[in-house]
């Protein structure tokens, strides 16, 4: 990895930290409903993002905003989703953390735990089949691509883990299963989640290549991911990568982890298992980073997030039409009727429905989106 | 004595302000004390005291053999709970929300609900499935679905939906004592809301009959019927309507299955008009069942207007706060429809 990309990776980690800090506080202030920080897993996020190619298809669980950042989706685009403005790529429909992006081939995340695992297997199969059919039909063959899915240690207990991995193995589906084992599922520690040797060892049972990496080490994750991708494509197989880290923050803004682990323990682990400071030490030792430059990077990251939040909050809310569209490909009579009824209600009770707060038309939304440089 | 050690019995002499959460917690506590076969399992129920703190203090009191933290697999632990119920225990299986129970629905319906019938009475499944159902703020489509009509359809299941603290205590205790599988559809929004609760409701043997609705407010001009969280805007609407001289009878269903049709019929015979209110989707909803039942009964001849259903919008729940408000029945909607139904302006 070039020095430039390495420094860019570090910058992405700082930006992720800034986003986490600012948005966590913003939630506490009541500005939106929910947030999940990623402290302790920065290296996993950025290394995975660095290892994938544009054509790879990505699936996540709920703690993967770092991948969006390092793959180049601007913070200014992301924040519209937490705030649910008219510029939101999710049209005001998805709860926080459930972002997706066409630009980086990342499927919109959902709250249903582990359901993304079998989806990823299906996607990988589709990628494989499309290439075979294109070759057979003498058409342009797409670049080889993998399907990559991230999930946590707790999610790996769900029945969908079994179904997905077993079928990926038997179908020879080039799926990268990347487990973010951060030691906790809300308050449930690993000892209560499974009795086996972590998630990696399950790969042996399913007959697929598997590896466990120290995810506080950016380079370890990066090399494991690159090799895993290569193996998946060359050997036409699923691969399981278990990234070991410690969840240094709370599960979410709905959790106070000091209830089940001591502040001292958290502080101790923050010293030992912080991927960001580990990469910093490496960069400093190679003369690629100096303290003054780093302080500037941190400050500019923070300002970028603060500014993006302010801007996102100033944008009107999504139009009422977004409530009814996209349930199906077209509005059916009941939905059309519902939309007309609701618009009448809104006109009749404008104060109750806070009519002034939101966009009024699709045109206005388009204008706002281009004004704010939204990346799809 | 520290507040945490007081049980409702200590307040037996007057009306106690009890939150729905405290009501559920005390009901679970009392039933576990009463019958050692009763145990609780689910995610985060033990050490964490429950994702919503409904099982607070129970691990400390009853130990890890009776309050069990499970790995994350609803399908897994619901199946295990049903197996335990079939073999002499009385599990209370918590779903962090009923949305997640869709992973386990095969066990709820095929393993629990149908078993007594399919085994020709030889097997019993005295299990309680519980958790928050329906809307919670700002958590969008996969955390806010209302499952009342889905489970309400199933023969072999009983389904209750408490609204206030008294409902929570009486229905939970009844559910635990019932030899049939019972689904308790709670409401996250209601957990922190407190209600004055009578001495009678605080008694450790206080149970409410499953299948019986409660007339929360008597009236003569129109009947409004709802359940769970949506009772709150319905009661508010009734008060606003009273100010305009419209006398509203408000019925709290309490049970979705069995549905207390006789109480509804008697009310319609008195008021001649009926509006049902629910948060769930319109098609095949609870209101649809009520409207059909009224039409089929002799209350039909007493109707001066068609039964009207107020329901949630026919869309997955959005996240943006303005869209979320617009997707769920509000007090203003209920007032407007009630007035239209009585022919008032």
């Amino acid at each position: 990895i070039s020095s430039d990309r390495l420094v860019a990776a570090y910058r992405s980690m700082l930006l992720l930290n800034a986003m986490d800090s600012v948005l966590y506080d913003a939630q506490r202030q009541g500005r939106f409903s929910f947030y999940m920080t990623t402290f302790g897993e920065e290296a996993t996020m950025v290394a995975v993002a660095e290892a994938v190619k544009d054509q790879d298809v990505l699936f996540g669980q709920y703690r993967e905003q770092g991948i969006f950042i390092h793959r180049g989706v601007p913070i200014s685009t992301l924040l519209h989703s937490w705030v649910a403005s008219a510029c939101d790529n999710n049209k005001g429909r998805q709860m926080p953390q459930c972002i997706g992006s066409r630009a980086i081939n990342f499927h919109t995340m959902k709250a249903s735990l582990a359901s993304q695992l079998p989806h990823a297997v299906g996607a990988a199969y589709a990628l494989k089949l499309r290439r075979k059919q294109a070759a057979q039909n003498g058409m342009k063959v797409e670049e080889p691509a993998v399907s990559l899915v991230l999930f946590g240690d707790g999610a790996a207990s769900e029945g969908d883990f079994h179904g997905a991995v077993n079928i990926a193995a038997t179908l020879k589906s080039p799926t990268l299963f990347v487990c973010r084992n951060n030691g906790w599922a809300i308050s449930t520690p690993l000892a209560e989640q499974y009795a086996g040797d972590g998630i990696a060892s399950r790969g042996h049972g399913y007959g697929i290549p598997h590896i466990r990496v120290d995810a506080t080490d950016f380079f370890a994750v990066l090399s494991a991911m690159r090799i895993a991708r290569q193996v998946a494509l060359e050997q036409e197989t699923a691969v399981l990568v278990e990234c070991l880290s410690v969840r240094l923050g709370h599960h979410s803004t709905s959790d106070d982890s000091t209830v089940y682990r001591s502040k001292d323990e958290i502080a101790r682990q923050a010293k030992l298992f912080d991927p960001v400071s580990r990469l910093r030490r490496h960069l400093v030792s190679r003369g690629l980073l100096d303290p003054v430059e780093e302080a500037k990077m941190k400050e500019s990251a923070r300002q970028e997030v603060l500014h993006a939040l302010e801007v996102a909050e100033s944008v009107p809310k999504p139009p009422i039409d977004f409530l009814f569209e996209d349930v199906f490909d077209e509005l059916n009579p009941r939905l059309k009727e519902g939309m007309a009824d609701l618009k009448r209600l809104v006109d009749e009770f404008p104060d109750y429905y806070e009519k002034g707060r939101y966009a009024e038309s699709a045109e206005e939304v388009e204008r706002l989106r281009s004004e704010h440089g939204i990346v799809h | 004595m520290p507040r945490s050690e007081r049980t409702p019995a200590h307040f037996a002499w007057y009306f106690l302000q009890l939150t729905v959460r405290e009501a559920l917690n005390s009901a679970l506590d009392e039933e576990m004390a009463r019958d050692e076969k009763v145990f609780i399992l689910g995610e985060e129920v033990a050490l964490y005291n429950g994702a919503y703190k409904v099982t607070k203090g129970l691990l400390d009191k009853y130990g890890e053999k009776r309050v069990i933290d499970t790995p994350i697999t609803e399908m897994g632990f619901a199946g295990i709970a049903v197996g335990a119920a079939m073999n002499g225990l009385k599990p209370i299986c918590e779903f962090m929300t009923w949305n997640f129970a869709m992973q386990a629905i095969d066990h709820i319906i095929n393993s629990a609900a149908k078993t007594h019938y399919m085994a020709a009475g030889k097997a019993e499944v005295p299990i309680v499935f519980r958790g928050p159902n329906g809307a919670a703020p700002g958590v969008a489509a996969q955390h806010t679905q209302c499952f009342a009509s889905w489970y309400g359809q199933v023969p072999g299941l009983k389904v209750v939906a408490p609204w206030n603290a008294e409902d929570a205590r009486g229905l939970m205790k009844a559910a635990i004592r019932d030899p049939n599988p019972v689904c308790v559809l709670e409401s996250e929004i209601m957990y922190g809301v407190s209600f004055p609760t009578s001495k009678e409701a605080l008694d450790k043997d206080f149970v409410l009959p499953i299948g019986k609705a409660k007339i929360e407010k008597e009236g003569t001009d129109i009947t409004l019927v709802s359940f769970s969280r949506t009772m709150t805007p319905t009661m508010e609407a009734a008060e606003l309507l009273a100010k305009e001289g419209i006398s509203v009878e408000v019925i709290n269903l309490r049970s979705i299955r069995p549905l207390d049709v006789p109480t509804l019929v008697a009310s319609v015979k008195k008021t001649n008009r009926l509006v049902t209110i629910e948060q769930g989707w319109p098609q095949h909803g609870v209101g649809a069942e009520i409207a059909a039942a009224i039409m089929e009964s002799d209350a039909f001849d007493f109707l001066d207007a068609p039964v009207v259903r107020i329901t949630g919008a026919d869309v997955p729940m959005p996240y943006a706060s303005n869209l979320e408000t617009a997707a769920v029945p509000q007090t203003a909607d209920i007032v407007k429809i009630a007035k239209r139904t009585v022919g008032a302006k």
Side-chain angles (χ1 to χ4, degrees), chain A residues 36 47 57 67-68 92 99 110 128 187 198 270 292 299 317 375:
Chain A
M36 298 176 107
V57 177
I67 296 187
F68 288 71
I99 50 179
K110 299 176 298 346
K128 191 173 133 177
S187 79
V292 171
E299 187 49 33
K317 294 289 170 207
V375 169

Side-chain angles (χ1 to χ4, degrees), chain A residues 8 43-44 46 76 85 92 119 146 154 185 198 259 280 299 327 344 351 366:
Chain A
T44 312
V46 176
S76 57
S85 74
H119 297 169
V146 292
V259 166
R280 177 197 302 122
E299 187 49 33
V327 178
R344 264 198 299 276
D351 292 335
E366 274 321 299

Side-chain angles (χ1 to χ4, degrees), chain A residues 228-271:
Chain A
R229 186 181 186 278
Q230 195 178 347
V231 165
L233 288 172
E234 284 172 5
Q235 295 178 23
E236 276 204 330
T237 176
V239 180
L240 176 57
V241 179
E242 182 179 17
C243 298
L244 287 189
S245 65
V246 177
R247 193 194 78 206
L248 297 175
H250 305 305
H251 166 71
S252 71
T253 46
S254 303
D255 173 47
D256 172 10
S257 61
T258 60
V259 166
Y260 50 85
R261 48 181 190 174
S262 73
K263 287 196 177 124
D264 291 338
E265 191 194 326
I266 299 173
R268 186 184 67 92
Q269 291 185 327
K271 285 206 182 75

Side-chain angles (χ1 to χ4, degrees), chain B residues 99-139:
Chain B
N99 300 272
F100 310 158
M102 284 197 280
Q103 298 241 354
I105 202 167
D106 181 68
H107 282 303
I108 298 171
I109 312 243
N110 279 330
S111 304
K114 297 178 186 172
T115 289
H116 191 60
Y117 182 86
M118 284 162 49
K122 291 195 289 288
E124 268 190 10
V125 189
I127 190 169
V128 171
F129 296 105
R130 54 159 293 266
N133 177 57
V139 287

